[in-house]
Amino acid sequence: MTIPYYDKRGLLSLPNELLINILAPFSTQLLIPLAIVSHRFHNVVLRIVHTRLLLAASLKEHKLILECYHPSSKSTEPYLFCDYLGTPGLSDEKEGEGWAYDSSSSVGQIGRLGGLYSRFRPIRPEAEQRIFRPHPTGDVPGHPGTSTTYPSQNSLPFDEPESLVTHPINLDPHELFSQLCVVTNLVQLGPRRGVFYGFANVAEGVLRIWREWLASRAKADETRARKSANAPLDDLERSVEQSNPKSLLGSINAEDESRTLWIDSRRNVGIRVLVKERKWRREVPILLHRDEDPAVSYELEYEELQVRTNHLLLAVERMLLEHENASGKAMIFGSFVSRSVD
């Protein structure tokens, strides 16, 4: 069988390495429609998108920040940096492996990549982190006669896992819900904290945290914590993987769904939280209507920030495009003292 002339000199006659170099300058939005050209184009586009998703999720040159505050504390609540935990479903070591590729046919795998979520952990601001000071001269750690202020070196919890970021929610008897303003931004860090070279909005919205949802989640999380404390950790993780193998691989199972607060309607960004009821002594009112709810207080623990990986990739490309199109001119706001020249 003779090969036609246009096949010998056509684009499909090139090796995959050259096709990747040709298609690499295309943005992801322009690259995805090319996957339907042929099976070979589909595989090449899948390889490029896979690499871009891993680079975007790891955020090696960028940082994801989270702002979550009550409308009344917008100017006082600090923003939170988020550490990258991983993207279940994509293999960081070998290309083409992971839950997203578990299929007998390679066709449609790009669409399955759209269901992956990258996981991040909000961390406490530096001002709230505990600082352990060294012992002063002449101090004997833990000795009752010489030091009662400084604990012994062995008692310092250096190996203790960092606690989760918490947010208090207080509801008066007449309040049915509380509001949270949530903003997630992708930034390129500058020379010091608060200075960014680049900026791109990922998602923002206003959440209503209902009283009934807080009560049900607090009860469920307390029961779950009690069961996990009684069962060994290895047995618990093994039972979860056997019952739902995809629960830890990028997809959102029913349990995580009930614990996730979605910021936008398309569910591109969500916060997985733990709810704990705060107990305190309060005077019981003398008269309480049967339809009136008591005042309650809860704590939201930010366990994970889940971002759809392809949505994060588009935000990275948008920020890089704005950085390339920047004119190089900047406007500086500040108070400056003018000096007269003699």
Side-chain angles (χ1 to χ4, degrees):
M1 180 179 180
T2 59
I3 302 178
Y5 175 77
Y6 62 84
D7 286 342
K8 294 181 180 179
R9 304 290 300 273
L11 185 63
L12 296 179
S13 62
L14 299 176
N16 291 338
E17 290 75 12
L18 292 180
L19 288 179
I20 292 176
N21 292 332
I22 294 174
L23 299 178
F26 286 79
S27 64
T28 303
Q29 291 183 337
L30 298 178
L31 191 63
I32 295 298
L34 300 179
I36 63 176
V37 173
S38 63
H39 286 275
R40 187 181 177 190
F41 260 64
H42 180 276
N43 295 332
V44 172
V45 172
L46 179 64
R47 182 177 177 181
I48 298 176
V49 173
H50 174 95
T51 304
R52 291 182 179 181
L53 289 176
L54 290 178
L55 293 177
S58 59
L59 300 180
K60 296 181 179 180
E61 299 180 357
H62 306 84
K63 199 73 174 179
L64 193 67
I65 60 176
L66 170 67
E67 298 179 64
C68 192
Y69 52 86
H70 191 269
S72 61
S73 60
K74 178 179 180 180
S75 58
T76 58
E77 194 76 17
Y79 58 84
L80 306 173
F81 285 109
C82 300
D83 289 342
Y84 176 64
L85 299 179
T87 303
L90 289 181
S91 176
D92 298 338
E93 300 178 355
K94 188 174 182 180
E95 181 182 346
E97 289 188 356
W99 163 76
Y101 298 93
D102 292 345
S103 177
S104 58
S105 176
S106 61
V107 178
Q109 289 180 350
I110 294 182
R112 301 187 67 185
L113 294 178
L116 298 178
Y117 285 86
S118 300
R119 300 157 52 220
F120 298 85
R121 173 68 53 81
I123 58 177
R124 292 179 176 273
E126 296 179 359
E128 297 183 4
Q129 295 180 357
R130 298 182 60 185
I131 301 177
F132 297 97
R133 302 182 182 277
H135 301 289
T137 304
D139 177 67
V140 179
H143 195 279
T146 59
S147 177
T148 58
T149 304
Y150 297 90
S152 61
Q153 189 72 17
N154 295 331
S155 63
L156 297 181
F158 288 109
D159 297 334
E160 182 180 343
E162 185 178 359
S163 58
L164 301 178
V165 179
T166 61
H167 181 85
I169 294 182
N170 303 316
L171 295 176
D172 292 332
H174 63 278
E175 292 181 321
L176 298 179
F177 61 88
S178 179
Q179 292 190 124
L180 284 180
C181 299
V182 184
V183 182
T184 54
N185 296 315
L186 184 67
V187 298
Q188 185 177 2
L189 299 180
R192 61 181 183 272
R193 182 179 177 89
V195 178
F196 307 123
Y197 290 138
F199 166 85
N201 180 261
V202 179
E204 60 180 326
V206 179
L207 303 178
R208 284 189 174 182
I209 314 298
W210 293 89
R211 176 191 290 264
E212 295 182 357
W213 182 84
L214 288 170
S216 61
R217 284 312 317 166
K219 184 178 180 180
D221 291 341
E222 183 179 2
T223 304
R224 178 172 173 268
R226 191 183 302 112
K227 291 182 179 179
S228 60
N230 297 332
L233 182 61
D234 296 339
D235 296 342
L236 180 63
E237 293 179 351
R238 189 180 303 110
S239 62
V240 172
E241 293 179 358
Q242 293 177 355
S243 60
N244 192 355
K246 293 184 180 181
S247 62
L248 303 177
L249 297 177
S251 60
I252 308 299
N253 56 9
E255 176 63 22
D256 292 342
E257 178 71 23
S258 60
R259 297 164 51 196
T260 303
L261 300 175
W262 296 103
I263 300 176
D264 55 344
S265 58
R266 296 185 177 181
R267 300 192 174 188
N268 291 324
V269 181
I271 306 176
R272 194 171 69 178
V273 300
L274 295 174
V275 182
K276 294 182 179 181
E277 185 176 1
R278 302 173 64 183
K279 305 291 185 180
W280 77 94
R281 294 183 179 180
R282 55 181 181 270
E283 297 181 358
V284 180
I286 300 177
L287 297 177
L288 185 64
H289 196 270
R290 61 181 180 180
D291 296 333
E292 185 178 358
D293 296 322
V296 292
S297 180
Y298 297 92
E299 273 191 354
L300 291 183
E301 293 187 352
Y302 302 149
E303 189 177 18
E304 283 184 4
L305 178 65
Q306 299 177 344
V307 184
R308 196 184 296 268
T309 310
N310 60 354
H311 185 72
L312 185 63
L313 172 60
L314 296 179
V316 172
E317 292 184 349
R318 185 169 64 252
M319 185 174 61
L320 294 178
L321 181 62
E322 293 177 356
H323 183 72
E324 293 177 358
N325 296 335
S327 60
K329 299 179 180 180
M331 183 178 296
I332 302 176
F333 297 89
S335 58
F336 305 94
V337 179
S338 60
R339 298 180 179 180
S340 59
V341 181
D342 296 337

